[in-house]
C-alpha cells in the first residue's frame, strides 16, 4: 500500500500514521520528523531547515524532494510506504509523481484529515513529543502515563519549538495557501479519501481503515 496523509498542522497526521503503518507494516516517512532529527543532530540539513521551521514556513521544495526521493528508493519502501507531511505544495506533488513514475509505481490513496481551525490550535498547543522516539502525546487527549516521560521508550517528552500560538497560526496560513490546493489536485486523480478528523483518535483510525477497505 502506497499512501499519503494530507491535513493541516495538528490535524493528527503523525498520530494516525503510527496506527496505519503498524497495521500495514510499511515505513512511516514524515518529512517533519526527518528535519527534527537533523536539527537535533546538528547536521547541515538541520541547520538549513531550522530557520524555516521556527518561522512556520516551508523548507524549499528542492531540499525536501531530494530527501524524499532518496528515502523512497530504500529497500524497505519496495512494498509500500506512508508519506506524512509530504507533498505540501503542488510542485512537490508533481515531482513526487515523476519520481514514482520512474520507479514504475503510483500512490494508491491520499487520506485527507479534515479538522477545523480552532481544534488545530488546541491540539498543537497541548501536544507533547518524545525527544527520543518521536511518539506523540497530548496533555488532555492523550497524556503520557507518567508526566514528561514517554510510555514507549522512557525518553523525555517535550513541547515542539514551533508549537507556540504565533507559529501555529503562521503554519495554518501557509497550509491554506500552499497545501490546501492539493485536495483539488488529488480529487482530480480520484484517489482522495476525506476523513472527519474532529472525532476521537480511535474513531478517526476506524474510519481510515474502513475507507481503505480493511
Ligand atoms: P510537520 O512536522 O509535518 O508539522 P505539521 O504538518 O505542521 O503537522 P504536525 O506534525 O504539527 O501535526 P500532525 O497532523 O502530525 O498532528 P499530530 O498527530 O502530531 O512539519 C513541521 C515543519 O517542517 C513545517 O512547518 C515545515 O517547516 C517543515 N516541513 C515538513 N514537511 C515539509 C515539506 N513537505 N515541505 C516543506 N517543509 C516541510 O497531532 C497533534 C496533537 O493532537 C497531538 O498532541 C495528538 O496527540 C493530538 N490528536 C491527534 N488526533 C487527535 C484526535 N482525533 N482527537 C484529539 N487529539 C488528537
Ligand atoms: Mg506530524
Ligand atoms: Zn519515546
Amino acid at each position: 500500500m502506497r499512501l499519503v496523509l494530507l491535513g493541516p498542522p495538528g490535524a493528527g497526521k503523525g498520530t494516525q500514521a503510527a496506527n496505519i503503518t503498524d497495521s500495514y507494516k510499511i515505513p512511516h516517512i514524515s518529512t517533519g520528523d526527518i528535519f527534527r532529527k537533523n536539527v537535533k543532530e546538528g547536521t547541515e540539513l538541520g541547520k538549513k531547515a531550522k530557520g524555516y521551521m521556527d518561522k512556520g514556513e516551508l523548507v524549499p521544495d528542492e531540499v525536501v524532494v531530494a530527501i524524499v526521493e532518496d528515502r523512497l528508493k530504500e529497500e524497505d519502501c519496495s512494498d509500500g510506504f506512508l508519506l506524512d507531511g509530504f507533498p505540501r505544495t503542488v510542485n512537490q506533488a508533481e515531482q513526487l509523481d515523476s519520481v514514482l513514475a520512474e520507479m514504475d509505481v503510483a500512490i494508491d490513496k491520499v487520506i485527507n484529515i479534515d479538522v477545523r481551525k480552532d481544534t488545530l490550535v488546541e491540539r498543537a498547543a497541548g501536544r507533547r513529543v518524545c525527544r527520543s522516539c518521536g511518539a506523540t502525546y497530548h496533555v488532555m487527549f492523550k497524556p503520557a502515563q507518567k508526566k514528561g516521560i514517554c510510555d514507549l521508550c522512557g525518553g523525555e517528552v517535550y513541547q515542539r519549538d514551533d508549537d507556540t500560538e504565533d507559529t501555529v497560526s503562521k503554519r495554518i496560513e501557509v497550509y491554506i495557501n500552499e497545501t490546501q490546493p492539493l485536495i483539488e489536485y488529488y480529487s482530480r486523480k480520484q484517489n482522495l479519501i476525506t476523513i472527519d478528523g474532529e472525532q476521537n483518535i480511535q474513531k478517526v483510525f476506524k474510519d481510515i481503515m474502513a475507507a481503505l477497505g480493511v
Side-chain angles (χ1 to χ4, degrees), residues 6 109-112 182-183 186-187 190-194:
L6 200 63
K109 291 282 178 220
V110 176
I111 304 157
N112 173 37
L182 289 178
I183 296 178
Y186 285 115
S187 11
Q190 300 187 322
N191 56 1
L192 186 82
I193 300 170
T194 294

Side-chain angles (χ1 to χ4, degrees), residues 31-140:
T31 40
D33 287 350
I34 294 173
F35 290 138
R36 276 183 290 279
K37 182 164 181 277
N38 277 274
V39 170
K40 188 172 129 192
E41 291 169 357
T43 67
E44 279 310 306
L45 171 65
K47 284 178 198 153
K48 202 186 281 180
K50 189 169 175 15
Y52 295 100
M53 294 171 84
D54 285 350
K55 280 189 273 182
E57 291 170 3
L58 295 183
V59 176
D61 285 351
E62 59 276 14
V63 176
V64 192
V65 172
I67 291 166
V68 174
E69 178 169 9
D70 285 350
R71 182 66 187 89
L72 291 177
K73 289 180 175 165
E74 282 178 41
E75 179 69 31
D76 64 336
C77 292
S78 58
D79 285 335
F81 51 79
L82 182 145
L83 288 167
D84 159 9
F86 179 93
R88 236 172 165 100
T89 62
V90 170
N91 178 40
Q92 289 181 15
E94 288 169 351
Q95 296 206 46
L96 173 64
D97 285 346
S98 328
V99 169
L100 294 177
E102 244 175 67
M103 295 166 68
D104 219 9
V105 296
I107 296 295
D108 295 302
K109 291 282 178 220
V110 176
I111 304 157
N112 173 37
I113 306 183
D114 190 27
V115 177
R116 288 198 324 266
K117 188 174 173 183
D118 291 356
T119 311
L120 298 175
V121 175
E122 187 184 34
R123 286 187 188 173
R127 169 167 46 200
R128 300 292 183 271
V129 180
C130 172
R131 235 183 244 288
S132 307
C133 76
T136 302
Y137 299 91
H138 191 282
V139 290
M140 269 169 67

